[in-house]
Amino acid sequence: MALAALRREGRRFAPMISPRPITALRSSPLAPSLEDEGPIGVRYISTQVVRNRMKSVKNIQKITKAMKMVAASKLRAIQTKAENSRGLWQPFTALLGDLPSADVKKNVVVTISSDKGLCGGINSTSVKISKGLHKLNSGPEKETKYVILGEKAKAQLIRDSKKDIELIITELQKNPLNYTQVSVLADEILKNVEYDALRIVFNKFHSVVSFVPTVSTVLSPEIVEREAESGGKLGDLDSYEVEGGETKGEILQNLAEFQFSCVMFNAVLENACSEQGARMSAMDSSSRNAGDMLDRLTLTYNRTRQASITTELIEIISGASALEG
Amino acid sequence: MTLNLCILTPNRIVLDSEVKEIILSTNSGQIGVLPNHAPIATAIDTGILRIRLNDQWLTIALMGGFARMDNNEITILVNDAEKGSDIDPQEVQQALEIAEANLRKAEGKIQIIEANLALRQARTRVEAINAIS
């Protein structure tokens, strides 16, 4: 970029034979390779080239605008579902508590991300937090494993943490999200992965412009018992009489599984909402950028057009005066 | 003294109101809950829940889940719930017949388990209608 500017500066003072469109030199959107060299160092940018560029930028703008509308409509559809599912995990948290600080040996980080791209930075933030949790919870006795949902997190995490990945699930949103599908998924995870604590990383949907990365912790029944006995937040759990099964442990086991699938369901829905919202704002800013670029290109086009007309006129006039005189 | 009952499913809130008494069926039998009950946390089987408000009994079909009772607040979390008044008798009869047919056709452990589950759910819904009428 700098070299091209130097080249332009050098040529500006060389031949003074034909008037050069000086303003065209400042047009940064066009690379020097597009500039033509006419007779004796006349430099002008072909209008054809500028026009082609304008057409492609306009097409891009149309596409991004359409993508924004599609994302907006998808967001509306999913948002009601996400809000309805929010009420589901709150009783669990009230009963069992959400203890991110529980010190456990086997951590499993469930990272939820999107399959498609062009959705802003939400996937990178989720991955960053997952990696942070991994680092925080790795040590002499502790270990952390990953369960990945979604292509984007898979692409980022497979590079440096391949040996720590237990399960990868993609194409979640092929069919509209419903609880049965997610509970089957949760079942799979619970069966195949040993865990003391499951930490689900997702982007919580606060509003169309704000998506906050959050971590929900689900503890295994043994850890719940341990925490309950040690008092603190879960101390109230013991005061509950537990019925409906042979032993308290069995109920707690079922409860933990149910809690996990409810929290997963909510997390997946919220992440889907955040994905659509982020895509809306990304597409919106890119349409606006395309609009700006189009304005600048239009100015360049007009200048180029006028410059070529001026050049033609001058050639004609000097030719005519040469004939006379 | 009334109980604040809240029935939640993953898709929606089915009920949120004040009731006088509830009878729910857990894995180890039916329990009746009156105001000022001790705090309990139980697992609920696929069955019907009966609610009494203002001397009127309502039935709701529940498809398995959990219930928690604390300080006159009951929270019931289930996979699915349908109010007895919302169920269409004919449709449920058909569903019951289809479920029975599926059970007879089922091969392999998984299919049998699924067919059994579907059958129980259909039976619960039939019970829910019959209990009111």
Side-chain angles (χ1 to χ4, degrees):
Chain A
M1 206 58 196
L3 216 53
L6 276 172
R7 248 187 293 144
R8 264 182 262 138
E9 294 290 321
R11 283 185 193 150
R12 195 186 295 209
F13 302 109
M16 299 300 257
I17 303 176
S18 348
R20 195 169 319 127
I22 301 183
T23 46
L25 290 172
R26 276 185 252 137
S27 64
S28 35
L30 299 166
S33 54
L34 299 173
E35 294 167 6
D36 281 335
E37 290 269 351
I40 328 174
V42 171
R43 281 176 61 238
Y44 60 92
I45 298 151
S46 153
T47 57
Q48 183 65 32
V49 164
V50 183
R51 223 174 328 143
N52 282 344
R53 183 121 186 171
M54 275 169 65
K55 199 161 58 150
S56 67
V57 172
K58 211 183 294 191
N59 283 340
I60 290 182
Q61 191 183 33
K62 279 193 220 161
I63 292 176
T64 51
K65 264 199 194 145
M67 283 182 80
K68 176 185 171 189
M69 309 235 175
V70 167
S73 71
K74 285 194 179 162
L75 177 67
R76 238 174 297 137
I78 271 200
Q79 201 170 346
T80 35
K81 270 184 163 180
E83 280 169 16
N84 285 340
S85 78
R86 270 188 205 152
L88 198 64
W89 56 265
Q90 279 157 0
F92 285 112
T93 322
L95 182 67
L96 295 172
D98 188 1
L99 299 172
S101 56
D103 202 13
V104 290
K105 294 217 186 63
K106 295 210 188 105
N107 286 294
V108 175
V109 173
V110 182
T111 315
I112 306 188
S113 67
S114 64
D115 282 332
K116 305 207 182 117
L118 293 181
C119 50
I122 56 171
N123 292 323
S124 329
T125 44
S126 292
V127 169
K128 230 190 312 179
I129 292 200
S130 311
K131 286 193 183 159
L133 280 175
H134 178 99
K135 230 179 179 168
L136 207 65
N137 285 321
S138 301
E141 283 188 356
K142 305 195 268 185
E143 55 157 13
T144 317
K145 298 260 169 209
Y146 289 111
V147 170
I148 302 182
L149 271 72
E151 285 281 346
K152 293 286 153 185
K154 165 181 161 194
Q156 293 190 25
L157 283 173
I158 224 173
R159 254 183 282 144
D160 32 321
S161 317
K162 194 159 184 193
K163 57 180 174 51
D164 279 332
I165 301 179
E166 288 272 350
L167 209 58
I168 302 181
I169 301 159
T170 53
E171 294 201 355
L172 221 68
Q173 299 205 29
K174 229 174 164 181
N175 311 319
L177 291 166
N178 62 350
Y179 181 64
T180 346
Q181 180 192 24
V182 177
S183 63
V184 166
L185 208 65
D187 225 5
E188 278 286 323
I189 298 180
L190 287 170
K191 262 191 286 193
N192 293 333
V193 180
E194 276 187 31
Y195 69 100
D196 282 334
L198 287 151
R199 297 176 200 271
I200 309 179
V201 179
F202 63 102
N203 290 81
K204 200 170 165 92
F205 181 77
H206 281 249
S207 82
V208 185
V209 293
S210 112
F211 331 104
V212 181
T214 28
V215 181
S216 293
T217 319
V218 174
L219 301 167
S220 76
E222 298 93 24
I223 305 290
V224 170
E225 287 265 12
R226 190 186 80 187
E227 297 283 329
E229 278 159 29
S230 65
K233 281 198 234 158
L234 286 186
D236 304 334
L237 189 59
D238 264 347
S239 68
Y240 280 80
E241 268 199 40
V242 180
E243 307 189 22
E246 305 292 311
T247 61
K248 184 174 176 187
E250 183 189 329
I251 300 290
L252 277 185
Q253 173 84 5
N254 279 339
L255 198 61
E257 289 176 10
F258 198 32
Q259 179 190 16
F260 179 51
S261 68
C262 288
V263 175
M264 271 278 282
F265 184 54
N266 182 56
V268 170
L269 281 177
E270 299 257 357
N271 203 54
C273 279
S274 307
E275 175 197 340
Q276 300 298 343
R279 188 166 296 138
M280 253 179 77
S281 68
M283 292 296 108
D284 183 43
S285 52
S286 85
S287 318
R288 227 173 309 130
N289 279 344
D292 285 345
M293 222 172 158
L294 208 56
D295 287 341
R296 270 181 291 151
L297 280 173
T298 312
L299 287 176
T300 313
Y301 177 68
N302 286 332
R303 267 187 250 126
T304 320
R305 191 176 45 87
Q306 290 163 357
S308 71
I309 293 176
T310 314
T311 321
E312 263 193 68
L313 276 175
I314 292 191
E315 284 174 8
I316 295 174
I317 294 178
S318 49
S321 65
L323 280 172
E324 282 174 30
Chain B
M1 290 294 298
T2 53
L3 302 162
N4 280 331
L5 175 65
C6 213
I7 305 184
L8 301 168
T9 67
N11 296 326
R12 62 197 176 106
I13 302 179
V14 177
L15 189 72
D16 186 3
S17 62
E18 300 207 350
V19 300
K20 297 257 174 53
E21 178 187 346
I22 70 170
I23 299 183
L24 70 103
S25 57
T26 71
N27 284 335
S28 54
Q30 295 206 341
I31 59 173
V33 179
L34 289 165
N36 288 331
H37 198 286
I40 53 167
T42 91
I44 305 180
D45 211 6
T46 313
I48 49 176
L49 166 78
R50 263 175 284 198
I51 316 180
R52 177 165 72 95
L53 23 77
N54 306 332
D55 295 331
Q56 249 207 342
W57 285 96
L58 280 186
T59 20
I60 302 191
L62 300 175
M63 311 293 173
F66 283 92
R68 170 184 167 229
M69 155 97 192
D70 183 23
N71 197 16
N72 287 340
E73 299 243 348
I74 308 185
T75 318
I76 299 187
L77 294 159
V78 283
N79 289 322
D80 202 3
E82 278 182 62
K83 287 196 200 160
S85 44
D86 286 343
I87 305 180
D88 179 19
Q90 285 171 330
E91 189 234 329
V92 160
Q93 272 300 112
Q94 281 180 346
L96 183 61
E97 282 158 23
I98 296 178
E100 282 173 352
N102 274 339
L103 181 58
R104 263 173 271 144
K105 273 193 300 175
E107 306 165 18
K109 208 156 173 219
I110 299 183
Q111 284 200 10
I112 295 185
I113 298 180
E114 284 181 4
N116 264 325
L117 188 63
L119 185 63
R120 281 173 72 195
Q121 289 181 347
R123 282 225 185 96
T124 311
R125 292 161 81 200
V126 169
E127 263 186 62
I129 306 182
N130 291 338
I132 333 170
S133 54

